[in-house]
Structures are given as structure tokens and as C-alpha cells.
């Protein structure tokens, strides 16, 4: 990042998008060291051409086992659920506070 670049604050909507965006499968596999950045870029390019889901491409190329892929998909589902649970709790707390403000 350019140290001279001005910091532009995010709008509430942009903050919401950042906080609630679920991780994509490729990001998870990259973080877990199951894919390299080059592999992910190649897979994404192939996915755009073929329309195949990323997981199917990974399996068809033998990049990882079905078990490893299912573990990553399970992780993705669990992190999505954490986001949903956190947002539900936040909404519940806001309703509770607005009810007590009356």
C-alpha cells in the first residue's frame, strides 16, 4: 500500500460487506496451504471458461483428495454459520436495546 495514499473511511454499508462476506473456497484452500496462488489463479481461469464448480475442477485434476475438499467445505460452512449467528445476536441485542430505550 502506498504510504502517501489517503485513508478513505469506509461507509457503514462497506463495513457491513467486509464483515459479512463469507470466505470463498479458494481463499480457504489457499490459507490452509492446500493450493498455491498460481494453482488457484489457473483454476479460476478454467472455472470461468467451463462453468464448473471449483471443487469439481480440483477433484478432476487430482489436486487434492475428496476428504481434504470436504474438510475445507465443512470449514466454509462453519464460518458462514458463525457470521449468521453473530449477526442474529447483534440484531437481537439492538432490538432489546431499542425496546428498553422507550
Amino acid at each position: 500500500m502506498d504510504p502517501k495514499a489517503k485513508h478513505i473511511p469506509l461507509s457503514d454499508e462497506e463495513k457491513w460487506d467486509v464483515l459479512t462476506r463469507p470466505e470463498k473456497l479458494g481463499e480457504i484452500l489457499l490459507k490452509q496451504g492446500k493450493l498455491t496462488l498460481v494453482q488457484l489463479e489457473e483454476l479460476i481461469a478454467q472455472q470461468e471458461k467451463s462453468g464448473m464448480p471449483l471443487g469439481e475442477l480440483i477433484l478432476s485434476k487430482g489436486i487434492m483428495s475428496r476428504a481434504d475438499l470436504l474438510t475445507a467445505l465443512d470449514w466454509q460452512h462453519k464460518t458462514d454459520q458463525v457470521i449468521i449467528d453473530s449477526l442474529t445476536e447483534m440484531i437481537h441485542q439492538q432490538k432489546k436495546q431499542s425496546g428498553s430505550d422507550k
Side-chain angles (χ1 to χ4, degrees), residues 20-24 28 73-87:
T20 59
R21 186 185 72 78
E23 279 191 296
K24 295 181 179 180
I28 292 167
L73 288 168
D74 185 51
W75 174 258
Q76 183 183 36
H77 172 74
K78 287 178 181 174
T79 56
D80 288 351
Q81 191 60 50
V82 167
I83 291 169
I84 291 166
D85 292 347
S86 297
L87 292 173

Side-chain angles (χ1 to χ4, degrees), residues 41-55:
E41 289 171 341
E42 289 172 358
L43 286 164
I44 289 170
Q46 291 169 11
Q47 182 184 33
E48 288 172 352
K49 289 179 186 171
S50 70
M52 284 178 67
L54 185 65

Side-chain angles (χ1 to χ4, degrees), residues 14-100:
E14 290 169 325
K15 289 177 189 175
W16 181 263
D17 288 344
V18 168
L19 291 172
T20 59
R21 186 185 72 78
E23 279 191 296
K24 295 181 179 180
L25 178 60
E27 293 170 335
I28 292 167
L29 294 171
L30 191 63
K31 285 180 183 178
Q32 292 178 346
K34 302 289 184 184
L35 288 178
T36 65
L37 184 56
V38 171
Q39 285 175 312
L40 180 58
E41 289 171 341
E42 289 172 358
L43 286 164
I44 289 170
Q46 291 169 11
Q47 182 184 33
E48 288 172 352
K49 289 179 186 171
S50 70
M52 284 178 67
L54 185 65
E56 285 183 29
L57 280 171
I58 289 168
L59 292 177
S60 72
K61 297 192 169 297
I63 294 172
M64 71 182 61
S65 69
R66 183 173 295 280
D68 283 344
L69 181 62
L70 289 174
T71 298
L73 288 168
D74 185 51
W75 174 258
Q76 183 183 36
H77 172 74
K78 287 178 181 174
T79 56
D80 288 351
Q81 191 60 50
V82 167
I83 291 169
I84 291 166
D85 292 347
S86 297
L87 292 173
T88 302
E89 178 63 23
M90 184 179 75
I91 291 166
H92 176 73
Q93 290 297 326
Q94 286 177 342
K95 286 181 179 178
K96 198 171 162 182
Q97 287 176 348
S98 65
S100 66

